Amino acid sequence: MPERSVRLDAADPSLPDRIFDEISRHQWMQRIDLGNGIVTPGKWENPLIRQAFDLVDFRGKRVLDVGTCNGKWAFEAERRGADEVVAIDNLRHVGYCYSGAFECAKRLLRSRVEYRPDVDVCEYREEETYDVVIFCGVYYHLRDPLRALANLRASLRTGGRMIVEGPVYDDKRQAYATFHYREPFLGDKTNWWVPSVRALREWIESSFFEIEQSLCGGAPQRFWGRMKSTFRTRVLGKAPRTYRQVLVCRAVKRADPWWPTPYAPFDRWSAPEKG
Ligand SMILES: C[S@@+](CC[C@H](N)C(=O)[O-])C[C@H]1O[C@@H](n2cnc3c(N)ncnc32)[C@H](O)[C@@H]1O
């Protein structure tokens, strides 16, 4: 059946009133196909995440969706055959405004996804219990993204997969990140860090993941802010261009080729697996 966005127009006679009322009561950020031609009216959509999903086998897996928002990617993992999906979010700071939408979609999809809207990924770990982690649209909202990556590595079984998505500066040569406190990145005050693509890769690799696939695209966005021109030209070289990067990564156990003494939380994975 062709996809059709729900028009939030009470005069639309083709939608059963009950479903229409229920959907229109909530705040939708993500487009979720609820079946029967009904698609929620969210605006966030990076088509590369779906492409990354095609590279991961969800069948029979235990999946963690971090920063689930309305639950789009958690429901998608379930649709693709995941055995168990846990969707976490940290909604205290936004007054739980997305939680009603998640519950509504869950009900209409008859989903079994477990929803935990009060969990900060920087404080959450479940030792080696997940096969797949979805970490899309989140790392740049965190004050401590490296702590989150350490927790996610700890929560994944060795050999498990993680899909990471977010903005990066288009710079493969230098590893740096800009910190946003007084000056919001792209006007959004909930953003803390924007790394160069090299920095993001190194954050992930140093957390005992191997990057298997890299997908990027979409319209470039430029962030100049009030950066001094000397910083721009000496450190960044030219106008920093950002784009959305998607990485598919594998949790590994291996000797660290770049760091002499393993960082304590990673002791367990810093030697090659025997046999
Ligand atoms: C831009 S949305 C991304 C939604 C979804 N993952 C996607 O890719 O479409 C960011 C989400 O991350 C959540 N989030 C922000 N900080 C978080 C934290 N510390 N722990 C867990 N989730 C967090 C927000 O509440 C929001 O739902």
Side-chain angles (χ1 to χ4, degrees):
M1 191 180 287
E3 202 176 73
R4 179 168 66 90
S5 286
V6 172
R7 284 184 294 123
L8 292 183
D9 169 4
D12 184 344
S14 60
L15 281 173
D17 288 348
R18 193 183 55 79
I19 294 180
F20 175 83
D21 286 348
E22 189 161 0
I23 292 173
S24 57
R25 250 183 269 129
H26 302 294
Q27 186 168 336
W28 297 97
M29 305 305 288
Q30 296 171 311
R31 287 167 54 79
I32 303 175
D33 188 342
L34 297 174
N36 296 312
I38 301 170
V39 180
T40 63
K43 59 182 173 6
W44 290 345
E45 181 83 51
N46 181 349
L48 294 175
I49 298 178
R50 192 171 291 282
Q51 281 183 40
F53 266 54
D54 292 342
L55 302 171
V56 174
D57 184 1
F58 287 89
R59 288 169 302 175
K61 301 288 167 53
R62 183 165 199 251
V63 178
L64 174 68
D65 181 28
V66 180
T68 195
C69 192
N70 302 153
K72 179 188 177 86
W73 299 115
F75 300 132
E76 182 62 22
E78 183 180 51
R79 195 184 69 78
R80 290 176 184 234
D83 217 24
E84 196 183 340
V85 182
V86 176
I88 64 170
D89 211 326
N90 185 21
L91 293 185
R92 265 163 294 188
H93 63 290
V94 286
Y96 297 90
C97 61
Y98 309 141
S99 60
F102 183 101
E103 299 288 7
C104 169
K106 177 173 168 168
R107 227 176 6 260
L108 293 173
L109 289 168
R110 295 189 170 81
S111 162
R112 292 184 303 118
V113 170
E114 182 184 337
Y115 184 40
R116 303 184 194 167
D118 253 336
V119 177
D120 181 343
V121 63
C122 296
E123 308 299 334
Y124 174 78
R125 65 158 70 188
E126 268 187 58
E127 297 300 324
E128 307 204 31
T129 55
Y130 291 100
D131 304 296
V132 181
V133 165
I134 305 160
F135 190 37
C136 295
V138 179
Y139 66 74
Y140 50 100
H141 290 301
L142 306 177
R143 199 172 153 82
D144 196 347
L146 289 171
R147 187 179 165 118
L149 283 169
N151 284 345
L152 295 177
R153 173 62 190 91
S155 302
L156 262 175
R157 298 194 176 102
T158 297
R161 297 295 195 281
M162 175 174 71
I163 300 173
V164 181
E165 189 268 350
V168 289
Y169 290 109
D170 184 12
D171 192 338
K172 294 189 177 65
R173 286 182 311 118
Q174 295 188 80
Y176 55 82
T178 52
F179 182 64
H180 299 274
Y181 177 50
R182 293 190 186 176
E183 195 170 356
F185 175 70
L186 300 179
D188 181 347
K189 289 186 177 170
T190 68
N191 294 326
W192 282 110
W193 290 101
V194 181
S196 65
V197 64
R198 178 159 175 174
L200 177 65
R201 295 180 72 100
E202 292 191 10
W203 286 356
I204 292 170
E205 286 166 357
S206 70
S207 308
F208 287 80
F209 289 94
E210 188 181 294
I211 296 168
E212 294 187 313
Q213 301 276 346
S214 163
L215 309 166
C216 58
Q221 297 167 305
R222 283 182 195 281
F223 175 69
W224 282 101
R226 281 172 294 164
M227 259 180 251
K228 288 215 167 78
S229 62
T230 44
F231 178 75
R232 281 203 304 256
T233 48
R234 281 196 207 141
V235 180
L236 300 173
K238 54 185 176 178
R241 167 189 177 272
T242 62
Y243 61 87
R244 304 290 291 205
Q245 174 77 64
V246 182
L247 298 169
V248 181
C249 318
R250 189 166 63 89
V252 290
K253 186 172 178 189
R254 52 137 164 81
D256 189 332
W258 304 107
W259 201 251
T261 45
Y263 170 56
F266 297 133
D267 281 351
R268 243 178 312 157
W269 308 296
S270 60
E273 243 165 334
K274 291 196 182 85

